[in-house]
Amino acid sequence: MEQENAVVAALGEGRDVAGQGAKNTELPKTENGEDTKKSNGDSPVPPAPKNGLDRCGEFGVIGEEQEDESHFDTRRDGDKNIDPSNSGTDSEEGQDQVFELKHSNGTNDDMEGGARIQFSNDKLYGRDVELRRLDELWESHQNNATSPCCAAMISGYSGCGKTRLVEKFVSQQQNSGKSIIYLRAKYSQTRLATGPLGCFGSLFDNVLEASLEPLRKSLRRVLSTMITPNGIDFNNNNNNKQKQSVDQELNEDEARVLLRIFPGLLAAMREEGDASGEGDDAASLASSLSVSTRASKALRSGSSGSKTIENKKVLQFVLQKFFRLLCANPKRPVFLVLDDLQWADDQSFLLIQALLMISEDENQPMHLFLIGSFRSNEVDEEHKLKGMLKSIEEMNENKVPVITLPELSLSSVTQMIADSLQMEETPEKVEPLAEAIYAKTLGNPLFTRQALEQLANKNAIYWDSISFSWAWNLRQQELQDLITDDIIEMIQSKISQLDPNIQHTLQVAACTGPTVDVDTLLELIYPELAALHTEEAQKQHNTGVTEAYHADKKQGLIRGLDQCVSKGLLVRASPSESYSFAHDRIEEASRRFVYDKMRHDKRSSFLGQLGKSLYKRAVSDHGEDWMFFTAAQHLNEYDTTSTSTEELNDAHVELAMLNNITAKLSLELLAFESAAKFASKGIVSLLALKDGSLQEGGENAMWVAQGELAISLHTVGAEAEYGQGNTDQASTYCNEILKYHEKNRYDIFNVLPSILVHLDILAAKGDKEEAFQLAFSVLDHLGFWFPSSAQTLDWVGDGKENKPKKPKRYPRMLAAMKLKEVKAKYIPTENSIDSMPRVSDPQLIETFDILHKAGSFAYQLENIPLYVMVYCEALKWMNKNGMTDASASAIASFANALMHVYGDFETGARLAELAICLVGRIQRKFHEPRALNTASAFVLSWVRPLRMCLKYHSQAIESGRRSGNIEGAAVGKMFSSWNMMYSALPLGQLESFCRAGLPPLRKMELHFDANLITMVWQTSLNLMGRSENTVRLVGEAMNEHEGPYAGGPFKMVGDIWRRYLCAFFGEWEEGAGNALAAGDSFAQRMKGMKFGMETAIRGILLVGMARKDKSTEAKYKKGAQPVLKQLQIWIGKGCVNIMGPTKLIEAEMAVIDGKKRRIRSLFQESISISLRDQFHQYAGLAHERFAFYLIQMGDKNAAKENLSKAINLYQLWGAQKKVELLRSEMSALTT
């Protein structure tokens, strides 16, 4: 420090320190013409620049010594005017940043612009290699399209030029004539002003003007049906407006989700010059969706948020679909840039990963270049960013390239300094200066800029008005000693030279967010301005005075902000009248004035007042949702102090309400960690309440004085913790609500949301009995009557554990009576479905959800009488109130129970068809797949042609894919594969379906459904002869002896497919033994599954073995008889798909019994029925079995004819392995 002071002192005296001749190095003059005073011995104190912001802000101090708490004064008198030449008007984004200095003679003449350090925003130093790499990646993607989108990561130290590299690349692309949609967002270390998705949700908040028009054009296509009722005609040669397919646009549900993710989207769509938004695309979209642009308004008005589990996949799906549609046009590619990913939150990583996931149905590439940047020194191998990149590589088999930016070379730093000092023609002259700066900054561009400015501030380099050039006298080491080691200190030193009020403005902005608009900043600095614009204030004050006062303050603030722009501290952002920090280090330096240099009490006052002002603006008509998050973060750190219990309680309640809104907003975007944090903070605020009447505080005061708010906070907390997998904490929240509900008897509808969460938690934990009791207890409160003996249903057994227990007679009789009543009065018809109103009341919807869940729990506990009674009540409820989105799946489930428990196939089929009709009226399409899959697989596939029902599963797949219900789509694929196998669709088609469908399911970790489909795939491979095995499920697709297939439910399902193969490959002994051991366990445990085909195959195997081995004939015949009887019962009730195999079993039984007169006719019936229904495999098997009977009878010619027909049918099916085996049989028979 002594050395630095000595050098500065030498400069002040004009001494030739460097031995290069004395220069004019007078100290700058103060406003009165005197030399600036010195501190620390010889160090000069730089003069404060003139400006009109000469009074301190509302929130208090700038440093320990600053106590003035008055407002900015923007009066235009005397020295309070800001110099117009210093307003920063020539520092628009994309132009050079200018750092101005006074001349060595103390004057402020421009001298033709020489006395300026001009940092070029156009030139990029030392990054040619990295720039070419970005260009190569994009060009390769455009030409080869080997992945759905192009992606790259840029790493390097802070200030190394990551953002500048990307901006230069985008600029080059735009200059080549391309209409680039450039979307950029930046994560913040504090995550202020961003909400739970970090910067991701702000992508459309600050779209540059050059990108707005191409963005609007793309959005019109994506959202066309919601902008115009009939869609937009994109073909100029066709006057007829045509609606696009569902895959080419977002539906209304998806658009609503999209607006939750990107609240700035409507503003980006608004036409230029239309501030009101009336008559433009944004207004049309908002009107079509009937939504507010702000989710918080809906939350504060009492409407419920999203369902946590349901929307967990929807959010990612909608994002993925939106960007696929937005990036579909090669003429308008999207460059999506996310800065500072080292600070990204978990939910953002999930959304980024969703963007980079390959969709099974996506054959066309996205014209998207996703570029992320991060600080290399803050991201280690354990960082979540590295985990995301590794996961993407594993899923996509495509590694995201990481471009590492080294620090600049000495030659690049030299050129940069030469250009900035207007000495580009003679860069060798700045080499000593460049070497000094390089030795200190090691080539970091941001550090280099700040170091050059710091040397100019200290007069170590100065503008020589004689030579009209920059000059310096110090040696390299002396220059180095003048440069601060810490860049934050360097920036703070620069800020400290500004007027105190401008410093205060920067501090307010830094504690608000990386980008802030002038109007918001104005109200934060002048809280009284917000009050002046209220309706009450307008009645009491003259409007003209109010507007003049507001305009005066605003213009003064803008001049101060523009001065910061001219100093390189801020940049103008889009939209107009918004400003951003030029670098996150500048933001950090400004924020540290608050957190490091203010006393604790002053900091609390500052942040507390800032939080209160933000909260007031957030709830106003001009507010935005991000303000809730920033306000909550500040106020949660602010220690509330008050002189009275009443005031203190009011403050606690207000803070709890703020946290409640913020938690709900987080939950809307499935940011569970954020939601849990704010809910917890809100609960802590309520726990601080003091109840004077009870002479106690804490929990009791919270639940008595603010019961409704406490319930809401605990409910949101439960959903958030459950979403994170913290079921214990979620249960604790739910139990607290139930506990105080018992004490205080709150309105049951206030408690219902938490009970629904609690039921999901109990089900997930396997506590079905507790869930069962809770659900029926709630139904009792809601006015539903069920027999008390049914709620705690006693079961009567015969003392033998291996025998099923039976319920008491009363519940069963009551269920039958209710069922009879419902069938007579309440079964809906197609006409009644069409006219049935939709339920919109959240309380009614939650009531139906409780009914639906109660029925499910009763079914899982095999309490079928109660299950039937619940769904009888559900149908009566629908008849009275209308339908909800869960109605279709509820009716389909009820149809399954009627068909497979009560044997009422007729009513079950009727209800299933009505459920299909109801699907068309579902608003939240997420519910469609379950209704479609249940109605088709469990009901209609029994009584309608199997191939006809395949369309419902295809619809479920498509609906799940479009709505984000990927689990529902996966179940649809699984049932489709079963349907295709049993309905004898060509095996080649089935094999391709499984091969193509499995990888996406594996990538999405839907392993259960994927494993079930894998078994079908391997079965098809065995039949096609593409495996060395016939009845062993071992081959390309799987190995039955390894992994999950070796035990559990997959072994049971694997046995079913092995039995299927045994039937067609003639492995009677193995297949029949397995069938005899399994019995009807699958049919009993999985009621309604496999369309009766599993039972038919067991019957075929048992009679086949009985025919093969006379010694075991009686054993297997006995096993086959109940199977045949069950099949015949089903046929009598309308089952059409098992008629062919049933006739085959009857024919085999006739062979066993020696009923020769019936044998031929039964085989022929089996063949003709199977051919009629297109079951080629069963027709082929019937021909084959009949042929072997004919061989036994000595009729070889007839046997050959039947074998030949069997071969043709197996060939048609695609079972090439079976064809080869039968041809060998034919050859042997001929020989």
Side-chain angles (χ1 to χ4, degrees), residues 939-981:
V939 183
L940 295 180
S941 292
W942 288 75
V943 294
R944 302 289 182 266
L946 201 53
R947 291 193 179 192
M948 188 186 81
C949 297
L950 185 59
K951 66 182 179 183
Y952 298 126
H953 297 304
S954 299
Q955 186 179 344
I957 296 170
E958 180 67 11
S959 177
R961 188 178 66 82
R962 288 189 286 113
S963 68
N965 187 349
I966 57 174
E967 288 88 354
V971 172
K973 288 184 178 182
M974 183 266 292
F975 282 133
S976 292
S977 68
W978 290 7
N979 184 300
M980 294 169 76
M981 177 64 81

Side-chain angles (χ1 to χ4, degrees), residues 588-862:
E588 181 182 354
S590 301
R591 191 168 55 251
R592 283 196 186 180
F593 276 112
V594 176
Y595 285 91
D596 295 347
K597 297 191 176 184
M598 281 188 185
R599 296 194 308 266
H600 176 74
D601 58 332
K602 294 294 183 181
R603 182 169 64 251
S604 294
S605 176
F606 178 90
L607 294 177
Q609 185 61 48
L610 180 60
K612 291 175 182 177
S613 296
L614 268 174
Y615 188 16
K616 289 179 181 178
R617 184 163 177 83
V619 299
S620 73
D621 292 337
H622 303 289
E624 298 177 41
D625 289 342
W626 65 261
M627 297 175 183
F628 288 104
F629 293 92
T630 307
Q633 289 184 59
H634 289 325
L635 290 175
N636 284 332
E637 295 181 18
Y638 171 54
D639 296 327
T640 302
T641 56
S642 180
T643 56
S644 70
T645 299
E646 183 179 354
E647 291 179 358
L648 189 62
N649 280 350
D650 289 344
H652 288 315
V653 171
E654 187 173 23
L655 181 55
M657 293 172 64
L658 170 60
N659 277 294
N660 190 41
I661 293 173
T662 311
K664 288 183 176 181
L665 285 170
S666 299
L667 200 62
E668 278 284 309
L669 293 173
L670 305 182
F672 301 126
E673 183 179 357
S674 175
K677 179 187 73 174
F678 287 117
S680 176
K681 291 287 187 180
I683 292 170
V684 169
S685 294
L686 289 186
L687 286 172
L689 289 176
K690 301 296 181 183
D691 192 326
S693 61
L694 297 175
Q695 298 301 313
E696 60 178 324
E699 287 190 3
N700 197 50
M702 171 175 67
W703 292 101
V704 171
Q706 294 292 331
E708 188 173 333
L709 180 56
I711 291 171
S712 180
L713 282 165
H714 280 74
T715 301
V716 175
E719 287 194 69
E721 296 292 356
Y722 181 40
Q724 295 183 91
N726 301 329
T727 54
D728 290 341
Q729 181 58 46
S731 295
T732 299
Y733 281 136
C734 292
N735 287 327
E736 283 290 296
I737 295 174
L738 292 176
K739 170 184 171 183
Y740 284 95
H741 173 62
E742 290 298 319
K743 287 184 177 181
N744 302 311
R745 309 307 295 177
Y746 302 118
D747 186 338
I748 185 64
F749 290 108
N750 288 336
V751 183
L752 272 187
S754 67
I755 291 175
L756 287 167
V757 176
H758 198 28
L759 290 174
D760 286 337
I761 295 170
L762 292 172
K765 294 169 68 174
D767 297 335
K768 297 177 184 177
E769 185 65 41
E770 184 178 349
F772 173 90
Q773 297 295 341
L774 175 59
F776 281 95
S777 173
V778 173
L779 288 176
D780 183 54
H781 283 287
L782 291 171
F784 291 93
W785 182 86
F786 295 100
S788 58
S789 58
Q791 294 183 35
T792 56
L793 196 58
D794 296 324
W795 292 85
V796 180
D798 54 10
K800 299 180 180 179
E801 293 183 0
N802 61 335
K803 292 290 183 73
K805 298 179 180 181
K806 298 180 181 180
K808 284 183 177 180
R809 188 176 181 184
Y810 173 66
R812 193 166 53 182
M813 290 176 59
L814 185 59
M817 292 171 59
K818 282 186 173 288
L819 181 60
K820 183 177 180 180
E821 177 193 12
V822 168
K823 288 171 67 174
K825 297 180 181 180
Y826 299 107
I827 295 292
T829 64
E830 190 169 345
N831 290 334
S832 67
I833 288 292
D834 290 338
S835 60
M836 188 176 289
R838 285 199 58 84
V839 178
S840 58
D841 186 342
Q843 295 180 351
L844 290 176
I845 293 174
E846 289 164 353
T847 299
F848 191 80
D849 287 344
I850 291 287
L851 265 175
H852 199 2
K853 289 180 184 295
S856 297
F857 294 134
Y859 186 75
Q860 292 172 30
L861 293 174
E862 299 182 16

Side-chain angles (χ1 to χ4, degrees), residues 1110-1125:
K1110 289 292 183 181
S1111 64
T1112 58
E1113 177 183 301
K1115 171 184 175 182
Y1116 290 106
K1117 179 182 175 182
K1118 182 180 179 181
Q1121 286 172 339
V1123 174
L1124 178 59
K1125 183 178 180 180

